[in-house]
Amino acid sequence: MLIAVDPGHGGKDPGAVVGDYKEKDINLNVALKLRDILIKKGIDVIMTRDKDETVDLQQRCDIANKAHANYFISIHCNSFKDPSANGTETYAYPGSIDGRNLAQYVQNEIVKTLGTKDRGVKYEKFYVLKYTYMPAILVELAFMSNPDDLKLLLEKDSIFAEAIAVGIEDFLKTKFEEGESAIQKLKAKGIINKVYDAKSYVTWGEFASVIIKLLEGMK
Ligand SMILES: [Zn+2]
């Protein structure tokens, strides 16, 4: 399992700036902590940047695509002219079922552990969601422009990282269990004749055989 972690902005692009604080620094801070937590959980991680450097959006997608990452997690902070705006929102690419589910797990975990306002899962064709080949989400942790949210971002960065990691882990666990139960159902129906490891790859030959059995069963 390989997760691409993408700390938004960096280098010449600070992202949102509130007082002395730059979004690129908070994103990197949380992303590096997320990397360490995921590695401890036995999940491999590739970073689109691990220091304060300029990386354009296509480069970020290329890094994840070339590494064949399974999932892509972009970390950002929100900002708005009205300082009362606050809370967490997580974006997925429109129509991506895995993206939507992963976004929901991460969103729920952040809101539950940090107590931020739940602004929900949203759908946008953001560049890094569109041009990555794997299911991808973009998390807006909280609002730098809101004093309470900013305090959380500065003081509870480890908790944000932990919440994202737990969300990812719960999503993967559920997905694995669904896969195992689907395999059992296919076996019970005689569509496959042995029990596969839900994490193992299927050859095109095996896949084609399953499709043919389904098509012939439907005639
Ligand atoms: Zn941003």
Side-chain angles (χ1 to χ4, degrees), residues 6-58:
D6 174 47
H9 314 282
K12 285 184 285 185
D13 169 18
V17 179
V18 174
D20 291 337
Y21 302 108
K22 297 184 177 89
E23 184 195 344
K24 64 176 184 177
D25 299 324
I26 298 175
N27 296 341
L28 181 61
N29 204 12
V30 172
L32 290 175
K33 293 193 159 104
L34 173 60
R35 175 192 64 185
D36 294 345
I37 297 165
L38 289 174
I39 288 171
K40 272 197 198 123
K41 289 179 188 288
I43 295 170
D44 294 321
V45 174
I46 183 166
M47 304 290 294
T48 59
R49 70 180 176 97
D50 58 8
K51 54 182 178 293
D52 185 19
E53 63 180 338
T54 307
V55 185
D56 73 32
L57 295 175
Q58 186 57 49

Side-chain angles (χ1 to χ4, degrees), residues 18 78-87 117 119 142-149:
V18 174
N78 234 326
S79 179
F80 193 60
K81 56 184 183 300
D82 177 355
S84 70
N86 70 99
K117 179 180 168 191
R119 301 174 66 91
F143 278 72
M144 289 177 64
S145 47
N146 176 271
D148 293 333
D149 270 16

Side-chain angles (χ1 to χ4, degrees), residues 16-174:
V17 179
V18 174
D20 291 337
Y21 302 108
K22 297 184 177 89
E23 184 195 344
K24 64 176 184 177
D25 299 324
I26 298 175
N27 296 341
L28 181 61
N29 204 12
V30 172
L32 290 175
K33 293 193 159 104
L34 173 60
R35 175 192 64 185
D36 294 345
I37 297 165
L38 289 174
I39 288 171
K40 272 197 198 123
K41 289 179 188 288
I43 295 170
D44 294 321
V45 174
I46 183 166
M47 304 290 294
T48 59
R49 70 180 176 97
D50 58 8
K51 54 182 178 293
D52 185 19
E53 63 180 338
T54 307
V55 185
D56 73 32
L57 295 175
Q58 186 57 49
Q59 279 175 286
R60 293 168 194 260
C61 299
D62 289 344
I63 290 167
N65 291 341
K66 282 184 186 145
H68 301 287
N70 298 95
Y71 298 96
F72 182 94
I73 318 283
S74 191
I75 311 280
H76 285 258
C77 302
N78 234 326
S79 179
F80 193 60
K81 56 184 183 300
D82 177 355
S84 70
N86 70 99
T88 302
E89 56 196 31
T90 306
Y91 289 86
Y93 193 74
S96 167
I97 293 169
D98 272 341
R100 178 194 70 197
N101 289 340
L102 176 58
Q104 192 67 65
Y105 273 92
V106 169
Q107 171 73 17
N108 289 352
E109 198 59 36
I110 293 176
V111 168
K112 191 178 85 187
T113 48
L114 274 303
T116 49
K117 179 180 168 191
D118 187 0
R119 301 174 66 91
V121 170
K122 300 180 177 183
Y123 305 94
E124 283 290 345
K125 294 179 180 176
F126 289 144
Y127 196 97
V128 293
L129 301 184
K130 183 168 182 181
Y131 293 102
T132 42
Y133 300 154
M134 66 292 306
I137 64 169
L138 186 148
V139 191
E140 296 278 6
L141 302 170
F143 278 72
M144 289 177 64
S145 47
N146 176 271
D148 293 333
D149 270 16
L150 180 61
K151 195 168 179 318
L152 284 178
L153 289 166
L154 297 173
E155 292 174 6
K156 307 272 178 173
D157 49 334
S158 303
I159 314 290
F160 276 103
E162 183 68 37
I164 298 167
V166 169
I168 292 170
E169 203 179 25
D170 287 351
F171 164 80
L172 292 176
K173 188 165 169 274
T174 305

